[in-house]
Amino acid sequence: MDDIDRELINLLCTKVGMLMEDHSALALTIGGLADGERKAAINELTYSSRKIAALTAATQSIAE
Protein backbone atom coordinates (compact mmCIF):
# COMPACT_ATOMS: atom_id res chain seq x y z
CA MET A 1 0.00 0.00 0.00
CA ASP A 2 1.41 3.37 -0.95
CA ASP A 3 1.28 6.67 0.93
CA ILE A 4 -1.60 8.03 -1.16
CA ASP A 5 -3.76 5.00 -0.31
CA ARG A 6 -2.93 5.33 3.38
CA GLU A 7 -3.82 9.01 3.36
CA LEU A 8 -7.08 8.36 1.52
CA ILE A 9 -8.02 5.63 3.99
CA ASN A 10 -7.24 7.98 6.88
CA LEU A 11 -9.39 10.73 5.37
CA LEU A 12 -12.31 8.41 4.66
CA CYS A 13 -12.17 6.92 8.16
CA THR A 14 -11.99 10.40 9.66
CA LYS A 15 -15.14 11.34 7.77
CA VAL A 16 -16.87 8.19 9.01
CA GLY A 17 -15.91 9.07 12.57
CA MET A 18 -17.20 12.61 12.15
CA LEU A 19 -20.54 11.37 10.85
CA MET A 20 -20.82 8.93 13.73
CA GLU A 21 -19.99 11.64 16.25
CA ASP A 22 -22.43 14.10 14.69
CA HIS A 23 -25.31 11.63 14.89
CA SER A 24 -24.57 9.75 18.12
CA ALA A 25 -26.54 12.15 20.34
CA LEU A 26 -29.51 11.94 18.01
CA ALA A 27 -29.41 8.15 18.08
CA LEU A 28 -29.17 8.08 21.86
CA THR A 29 -32.02 10.53 22.48
CA ILE A 30 -34.46 9.45 19.78
CA GLY A 31 -36.79 7.84 22.31
CA GLY A 32 -37.60 11.21 23.86
CA LEU A 33 -38.74 12.82 20.63
CA ALA A 34 -42.32 13.41 19.53
CA ASP A 35 -43.64 11.16 16.77
CA GLY A 36 -43.01 13.59 13.89
CA GLU A 37 -39.55 14.47 15.16
CA ARG A 38 -38.77 10.81 15.70
CA LYS A 39 -39.65 9.96 12.10
CA ALA A 40 -37.43 12.78 10.81
CA ALA A 41 -34.61 11.67 13.11
CA ILE A 42 -34.88 8.08 11.90
CA ASN A 43 -34.75 9.30 8.31
CA GLU A 44 -31.65 11.32 9.10
CA LEU A 45 -29.99 8.34 10.80
CA THR A 46 -30.85 6.14 7.83
CA TYR A 47 -29.30 8.62 5.41
CA SER A 48 -26.18 8.94 7.56
CA SER A 49 -25.89 5.18 7.91
CA ARG A 50 -25.97 4.82 4.13
CA LYS A 51 -23.24 7.44 3.77
CA ILE A 52 -21.14 5.63 6.38
CA ALA A 53 -21.65 2.32 4.59
CA ALA A 54 -20.58 3.85 1.27
CA LEU A 55 -17.49 5.45 2.81
CA THR A 56 -16.45 2.25 4.57
CA ALA A 57 -16.98 0.26 1.36
CA ALA A 58 -14.69 2.68 -0.46
CA THR A 59 -12.15 2.37 2.32
CA GLN A 60 -12.31 -1.40 2.17
CA SER A 61 -11.87 -1.33 -1.59
CA ILE A 62 -8.73 0.78 -1.28
CA ALA A 63 -7.33 -1.38 1.52
CA GLU A 64 -7.61 -4.62 -0.46
Side-chain angles (χ1 to χ4, degrees):
M1 179 181 305
D2 62 20
D3 289 341
I4 292 172
D5 287 346
R6 280 188 188 86
E7 181 65 21
L8 186 52
I9 288 169
N10 287 339
L11 290 170
L12 289 167
C13 288
T14 298
K15 183 63 176 177
V16 167
M18 291 168 61
L19 286 166
M20 289 176 157
E21 184 178 8
D22 290 347
H23 292 87
S24 64
L26 179 62
L28 293 170
T29 60
I30 204 163
L33 299 176
D35 288 344
E37 293 174 322
R38 186 177 307 122
K39 182 175 175 160
I42 291 168
N43 289 339
E44 185 175 340
L45 290 173
T46 300
Y47 176 72
S48 295
S49 295
R50 288 181 180 147
K51 284 176 68 174
I52 289 167
L55 290 167
T56 55
T59 303
Q60 190 173 38
S61 176
I62 294 165
E64 291 178 348

